[in-house]
Amino acid sequence: MLGLSLALATPAAAQDTIEQQLDQLDRRITRLEDMNAIETLQRTYGYFVDKGQWTHLSNLFAEDATLEIGGKGIFVGRERVLEYMQTAFGPDGAPMGILVNHMQFQPVTHISEDGREGWLRGRAFVMASSGWGLPLYEDAFEKGEDGVWRISRLTGPFTMYTSWAGWGENALNNTWPDKFDPPPDLPPSVVYLTYPAYYIVPFHYPHPVTGEVFEAGAAEAGAYHRPPGTAEQQQSLTVGRTVNGSQPIMPPGD
């Protein structure tokens, strides 16, 4: 009735303008709802990690999704995501005496123009009995034909990993593909060192002010692994470098 009343009372040209404004408003609302859904999906992943709810966690992923955590390598497909979690960390459920808190912060979220893809950059602090870590997520999402968002790519390079005694003295330089079972389907997309070295995870989005696309760093990243001039520091320069400087990113302008 409201639309009919507007049509009768409004000239055709003005009516077209109103319809355009309503369409724009609808697209903005849908975009905000999609961004909220993606952030909820990412946070839910963290809560499922907390208590070892691996089956629930795997169902957050698209059927052909990929997962890459730390330097372990890439797992392809929802079934492999579940196998990785249950093999590496035990069956579903939180064992007695085990603490895992997967806390997530600073999400930066974008949606593609067609509303079918999304990206999120976010930081996490993982406090666990086995160790503490700071992964930085650059994840991709897809909206299925059923209108539900799922993770299509989860990538979580660590910036710091240490025992619970503290990063000041016990920081580990990285994880590695053969550290524990199961083996990955593909090798790590990037070989890098964690604190006290550094690795800048490529941004999925362009600079918010200048519009410039961030270039993936291909520089040697192991300069602070050991004191300058030592043999170990020289060796670290050959390890902490980007193997593949490219990474799927959000197209500029989206």
Side-chain angles (χ1 to χ4, degrees), residues 203-214:
F203 292 76
H204 74 259
Y205 53 93
H207 191 287
V209 175
T210 66
E212 296 178 359
V213 177
F214 291 100

Side-chain angles (χ1 to χ4, degrees), residues 103-189:
M103 298 166 282
Q104 299 186 74
F105 315 94
Q106 298 177 293
V108 179
T109 311
H110 295 91
I111 305 293
S112 64
E113 286 298 325
D114 63 5
R116 308 306 300 182
E117 296 180 276
W119 300 266
L120 181 146
R121 183 183 184 93
R123 189 183 304 280
F125 175 48
V126 181
M127 183 176 66
S129 303
S130 58
W132 295 1
L134 293 174
L136 198 155
Y137 289 112
E138 266 291 355
D139 297 342
F141 306 81
E142 64 181 40
K143 181 184 280 189
E145 294 301 323
D146 56 0
V148 177
W149 284 97
R150 294 176 178 85
I151 299 170
S152 60
R153 185 191 77 241
L154 187 139
T155 306
F158 275 82
T159 56
M160 183 278 291
Y161 194 82
T162 182
S163 70
W164 58 265
W167 56 269
E169 296 182 359
N170 298 302
L172 304 176
N173 292 117
N174 206 344
T175 53
W176 51 94
D178 58 349
K179 183 177 182 181
F180 49 76
D181 287 331
D185 297 303
L186 297 169
S189 61

Side-chain angles (χ1 to χ4, degrees), residues 4 6 83 91 131 166 173 176 214 241:
L4 179 59
L6 286 173
E83 180 186 354
N173 292 117
W176 51 94
F214 291 100
R241 71 175 70 236

Side-chain angles (χ1 to χ4, degrees), residues 24-173:
Q24 292 174 359
L25 182 60
D26 181 65
R27 287 194 294 271
R28 289 179 62 187
I29 292 173
T30 300
R31 198 176 190 87
L32 290 171
E33 289 176 338
D34 286 338
M35 292 173 67
N36 184 64
I38 285 176
E39 291 187 18
T40 298
L41 185 60
Q42 180 74 41
R43 291 167 180 162
T44 301
Y45 167 87
Y47 281 112
F48 286 159
V49 170
D50 284 354
K51 298 298 180 286
Q53 296 171 291
W54 309 130
T55 300
H56 290 317
L57 180 147
S58 67
N59 285 328
L60 299 176
F61 287 77
E63 186 174 350
D64 59 350
T66 62
L67 176 142
E68 181 178 13
I69 299 176
K72 176 66 177 167
I74 301 172
F75 293 83
V76 181
R78 183 189 299 147
E79 293 184 1
R80 285 288 281 153
V81 170
L82 180 59
E83 180 186 354
Y84 165 69
M85 294 297 180
Q86 291 180 332
T87 303
F89 307 111
D92 286 29
M96 292 292 292
I98 298 297
L99 172 69
V100 178
N101 286 326
H102 192 284
M103 298 166 282
Q104 299 186 74
F105 315 94
Q106 298 177 293
V108 179
T109 311
H110 295 91
I111 305 293
S112 64
E113 286 298 325
D114 63 5
R116 308 306 300 182
E117 296 180 276
W119 300 266
L120 181 146
R121 183 183 184 93
R123 189 183 304 280
F125 175 48
V126 181
M127 183 176 66
S129 303
S130 58
W132 295 1
L134 293 174
L136 198 155
Y137 289 112
E138 266 291 355
D139 297 342
F141 306 81
E142 64 181 40
K143 181 184 280 189
E145 294 301 323
D146 56 0
V148 177
W149 284 97
R150 294 176 178 85
I151 299 170
S152 60
R153 185 191 77 241
L154 187 139
T155 306
F158 275 82
T159 56
M160 183 278 291
Y161 194 82
T162 182
S163 70
W164 58 265
W167 56 269
E169 296 182 359
N170 298 302
L172 304 176
N173 292 117

